[in-house]
Structure formats: structure tokens, C-alpha cells
Amino acid sequence: MVSNIDENVSKVLDVLEKLHIKENTIVIFMTDNGPQQTRYVAGMRGRKGSVYNGGVRVPFYIRYPSLLKGNKEVDALTAHIDVAPTLATLCHAQLPTDRIIDGKNMLPLLMGESVDWDDRSLFFYWTRRYLELYTNIALRKGSFKLVGKANYSATPEQFELYNLNQDPYEQHNVVETKKRMSGEMKSELDMLFESLVKSDNLTNSPRIVIGSKFKNPVTLNRNDADGERDIWAQEEVYGFWRISIQEAGYYNFTFKFIQPVEASGQMSLEAGTSINKAISPVRTDVIRMNNVQLSKMDCDLRAIYSDGKKTIRPFYVEVEKIQ
């Protein structure tokens, strides 16, 4: 994978050279957070799904030859939320004014200017959909990081506190010697948690739009489904998608299962008050239902395969408007 990335990044950079736009093109390289399985993480603790550094810390490189000269290492607490304000500054673009912008412009850091970022806090959590109080949750401020892997009623002493300047691998919990700091950081974490759980994106999450001319087909995957937890990995669980059908018409549905489903079972598609069913004649991991008529509406979409013994949900559903 490293060789693959290296080769393809090289192709991008070569094209910029050939088009003579290298000097005035901003190139950013960063990665997803944490490895899924046990891999090399430079000694950092944890992996994907963890709020320890092995699960949240990522590389970030930026190149802009006409402004940023030479190689430089920036030792400051930055995050993905800082990319938009930085690019807006570099490109002389206006940031939206109808929402809170959590990120900060990194350009002064990149230019080597003296800037104080020590009072900055970053909040981390890992869950599916809703935040879980004090479960896999963290606050980083300066060199200190407060980690919550405890009960909902945990006191500051039941958290973990690490001084990352002295303990970059998060091995030595110093919460007992920094009780006042732990309490202050927990209070800040609580305020951030409270604001997030009340945010409109969670309390009134937008529906997935299908039937739009701007995106057709649309794939409904497990991560976007409501219902039982762990729905992205299991089959015999309850789940549905909140959708908005933009236009009445005929749609094709493709249902993809993790494992092949047995023959002679019944595929059911429910969209609001409309239910369509079909029998699958063969054992297969892909079932299609074409020319399904749907009305314009906001509704919940459910896809269920029943073989008489159990009900199975597809891993993902592709929806395509055909007319």
C-alpha cells in the first residue's frame, strides 16, 4: 500500500510539473485515522476506533511552492477542521457566516510566525451515530490529554491523564498527581459534549436524498442506517434508512448481502406506506428489484430478506431512478 500511494502521489506531482502549475498549486497529503488491524503505528497506543494517539493522530503535509519555501516541521496541535479556514485564507475565499467554524487558520504556523495555540482544545470521540458519555472520549489541551473510558457517572479521578510531551506513547496515567487539571479538563469536555448532543445534525439529522438529478444512483450503506447498534457489521439486526424521495417515478434497487442468502426466500422493500415483495429463485448475495414505482415523499426505507428461518438485512442498497 505504501508503494501504491507513493507511485500515485508521484503521478499527481508529475502532472503539475508538465502543466507548469506546480508553483501555484496547493497539494495536501493526509490519511484516514488509525489502522483497522494491528500494524506499525510508530509505537503509539491504540488503533482505529480508539481515542489514543494510534487511533487519532495522522500525518499532514502541505506544499505550496509560491508561498511556502523549503521544508518545515510545525509542532502545534492542529486538526482536519483547520483545513477549510487555511485554504480559504490561501485562496482569498469567504468562509460561511451562517455557522460556527471550529477550525483555525494554520497559515501563520506554516509561515513560521509566532502564534499562541497553547490554549486550544480538541475534542475526540469514537462511536457510531450518538456520543456515549465517557466511553472512548478524550480532550487534548496543550501537552495534556484527558481520556475517558469509564462509566457515565465517572469522576475526574476515574479518567486517564497523559502528558504527551513527556509520555508520547500514553503509558503513564498522571491523573492522581494532576487532580485539579483533570477536573478543569473534564468540565470543558462536559460542555463540549453537551453542545454536541444538542446539535441539529444529531437531533434532526438530514434525510438521504434519492431521485435527484445531482446524484443518481445513490448507495445506502450500513453506516447511514438507523436502528440497532452494530448494524454495519451484522445481518440479523433491525435497521432502516431515513430518505427523501425527490421525484415520483420508477426506481431500480440492488441489494448486496454480506453472505449469499438462500433460494426461495422473499425480498421485501418498504418505503413509507408502499411495500413491494419478490421471491429470489437462487442462492445469491445480490438481489435486484427493477421498475419499482415510488411517490415523492419523506419516509423510512426498509429492506428485509426472509428465508422462513431468519430475516436478513443487506449490507448496502443501491437506488437508481430510471424514469
Side-chain angles (χ1 to χ4, degrees), residues 203-222:
T203 60
N204 186 31
S205 58
R207 292 181 178 272
I208 301 170
V209 174
I210 66 173
S212 167
K213 63 181 180 180
F214 300 107
K215 178 67 175 176
N216 189 43
V218 169
T219 299
L220 307 175
N221 64 60
R222 289 283 184 91

Side-chain angles (χ1 to χ4, degrees), residues 244-272:
S244 178
I245 304 172
Q246 294 291 285
E247 292 185 14
Y250 289 86
Y251 291 78
N252 288 344
F253 285 82
T254 301
F255 308 97
K256 176 67 172 69
F257 296 87
I258 296 176
Q259 300 292 336
V261 293
E262 298 301 324
S264 302
Q266 183 170 257
M267 186 73 224
S268 296
L269 172 65
E270 301 180 14

Side-chain angles (χ1 to χ4, degrees), residues 82-127:
D82 302 323
V83 175
T86 304
L87 290 181
T89 302
L90 287 170
C91 299
H92 308 289
Q94 180 67 45
L95 284 168
T97 57
D98 61 345
R99 69 204 64 189
I100 297 173
I101 304 298
D102 293 308
K104 297 175 66 174
N105 173 26
M106 293 185 289
L107 188 56
L109 294 174
L110 300 174
M111 298 295 292
E113 299 174 10
S114 178
V115 103
D116 185 12
W117 284 53
D118 289 343
D119 62 344
R120 183 186 205 183
S121 298
L122 286 180
F123 176 80
F124 302 91
Y125 76 95
W126 192 95
T127 182

Side-chain angles (χ1 to χ4, degrees), residues 72-90:
K72 185 181 302 178
E73 183 174 336
V74 175
D75 185 18
L77 183 58
T78 60
H80 62 290
I81 54 177
D82 302 323
V83 175
T86 304
L87 290 181
T89 302
L90 287 170

Side-chain angles (χ1 to χ4, degrees), residues 163-174:
N163 184 340
L164 298 185
N165 282 350
Q166 300 174 3
D167 179 25
Y169 304 120
E170 298 169 292
Q171 298 297 311
H172 306 290
N173 181 9
V174 297

Side-chain angles (χ1 to χ4, degrees), residues 12-13 16 21-29 60-68 83-92 106-107 110:
V12 173
L13 300 183
L16 299 182
I21 57 174
K22 167 188 170 183
E23 293 297 313
N24 203 36
T25 298
I26 300 168
V27 177
I28 289 175
F29 176 90
F60 180 90
Y61 297 92
I62 182 169
R63 189 182 81 164
Y64 187 25
S66 68
L67 182 64
L68 306 175
V83 175
T86 304
L87 290 181
T89 302
L90 287 170
C91 299
H92 308 289
M106 293 185 289
L107 188 56
L110 300 174

